[in-house]
Amino acid sequence: MNLELYDMIFKRKSFHKFPEEIGKISDGELKGIEDFFKTIEPLYPDIKVKMRIVPEKEVTGGRGAEYCLLLYSEKKDNYLQNIGYIGEQLDLYLVSKNIGTLWFGIGKPDSPTYEGLSHVIMIELAKVDESKFRKDMYKSKRKELDEIWIGEELPFANIVRFAPSACNSQPWIVENNGKTIDIYRYKAPGKRGIMPVNMVRYFNQIDIGIFLYFFDLCLAKEGLNFDRQLFVDDKDEERILFARYTR
């Protein structure tokens, strides 16, 4: 677990609109992203994934970024959660380089496949001044802790709730019963923001992977050791168990 990324949790923000004057991401920084991608810890090492970085003009519906980072995967059980887990590591790494990011679900790449893998999602990238990043994470709009956490709180409970998610839906519930900690993907009835109804599950499965990386990174930061068990998320129900942590 790359603990150098932990502090970036507090700095990161989603740039839904990039500053009018953005800097340039250097060739060295692009190479650094590619090198970092090779070091990433996936949820599922057996799922093939690829990354491409292309100029934003090569995708549709951009938000004024310089580049788009495209993530591709083979389609296996929990491949979306795996991409979320991988992508959030990229997100925090990019923040450490003062590269602003936006998980961009509605953008369309120039090709739906790459080296035999399917496009999953993209992240928009632009070099921005460090002053544009978040100063106080706790001012961000998120659900109250008692809405997402059941049972005894771990020291970082109030940190993990700031994980990014599609339309800020925060589709997760953590339940600590003393013996195990269960993480559920939760779909609030009737609440989906601007997401098309047929895409809610798709994006929320990516979201739960993002959340799980926050959770694992915070566990490592606190020096807490748990055995993690993952479950196949293949149902369209209100609450689906995805991960169980046992001491």
Side-chain angles (χ1 to χ4, degrees), residues 225-236:
N225 296 314
F226 286 83
D227 292 325
R228 186 186 67 195
Q229 181 182 5
L230 300 176
F231 300 88
V232 175
D233 176 1
D234 59 358
K235 299 180 177 64
D236 191 17

Side-chain angles (χ1 to χ4, degrees), residues 8-220:
M8 298 304 105
I9 290 176
F10 303 89
K11 177 180 176 180
R12 74 156 302 281
K13 65 177 287 186
S14 298
F15 284 86
H16 294 280
K17 183 178 181 181
F18 288 94
E20 290 185 7
E21 293 185 6
I22 59 175
K24 296 292 184 181
I25 300 174
S26 69
D27 290 343
E29 287 170 324
L30 292 174
K31 177 65 164 52
I33 298 168
E34 293 173 352
D35 290 342
F36 177 78
F37 181 75
K38 298 173 183 176
T39 72
I40 279 177
E41 302 174 50
L43 275 179
Y44 296 94
D46 62 320
I47 299 179
K48 295 178 183 177
V49 296
K50 293 285 185 180
M51 179 196 78
R52 294 172 63 212
I53 301 175
V54 302
E56 191 202 50
K57 63 185 179 183
E58 294 185 16
V59 307
T60 61
R63 296 291 185 91
E66 184 181 7
Y67 290 100
C68 282
L69 187 155
L70 310 177
L71 292 169
Y72 297 80
S73 175
E74 62 178 332
K75 293 184 177 180
K76 289 184 173 181
D77 287 339
N78 292 351
Y79 78 98
L80 295 173
Q81 292 88 338
N82 190 55
I83 283 292
Y85 198 85
I86 289 170
E88 190 50 35
Q89 291 173 70
L90 284 163
D91 184 12
L92 296 177
Y93 170 79
L94 291 161
V95 171
S96 75
K97 304 302 178 183
N98 291 329
I99 296 174
T101 63
L102 175 67
W103 285 87
F104 196 50
I106 63 174
K108 300 296 182 183
D110 56 345
S111 173
T113 61
Y114 176 64
E115 295 187 0
L117 304 181
S118 299
H119 175 254
V120 179
I121 197 167
M122 67 179 67
I123 301 175
E124 292 221 322
L125 314 178
K127 189 80 174 181
V128 298
D129 189 89
E130 188 166 14
S131 65
K132 302 296 183 182
F133 288 91
R134 188 165 282 142
K135 303 297 187 300
D136 186 351
M137 177 182 74
Y138 297 102
K139 291 182 179 180
S140 306
K141 186 178 181 181
R142 292 294 191 276
K143 292 178 180 177
E144 296 299 325
L145 186 57
D146 60 8
E147 294 183 71
I148 69 157
W149 196 289
I150 300 169
E152 182 182 355
E153 297 170 10
L154 294 181
F156 56 80
N158 199 39
I159 295 174
V160 294
R161 69 189 182 96
F162 290 93
S165 59
C167 296
N168 202 22
S169 54
Q170 305 160 66
W172 42 70
I173 288 178
V174 180
E175 186 171 1
N176 184 2
N177 63 22
K179 296 182 179 179
T180 63
I181 300 172
D182 291 341
I183 295 179
Y184 296 86
R185 179 172 63 84
Y186 174 67
K187 183 178 69 173
K191 293 185 178 181
R192 59 184 176 88
I194 63 172
M195 284 186 286
V197 65
N198 63 321
M199 295 299 292
V200 173
R201 180 179 169 191
Y202 181 93
F203 288 123
N204 284 173
Q205 286 177 313
I206 296 173
D207 295 338
I208 200 69
I210 293 172
F211 179 80
L212 207 69
Y213 184 72
F214 264 50
F215 193 88
D216 286 352
L217 185 56
C218 288
L219 279 178

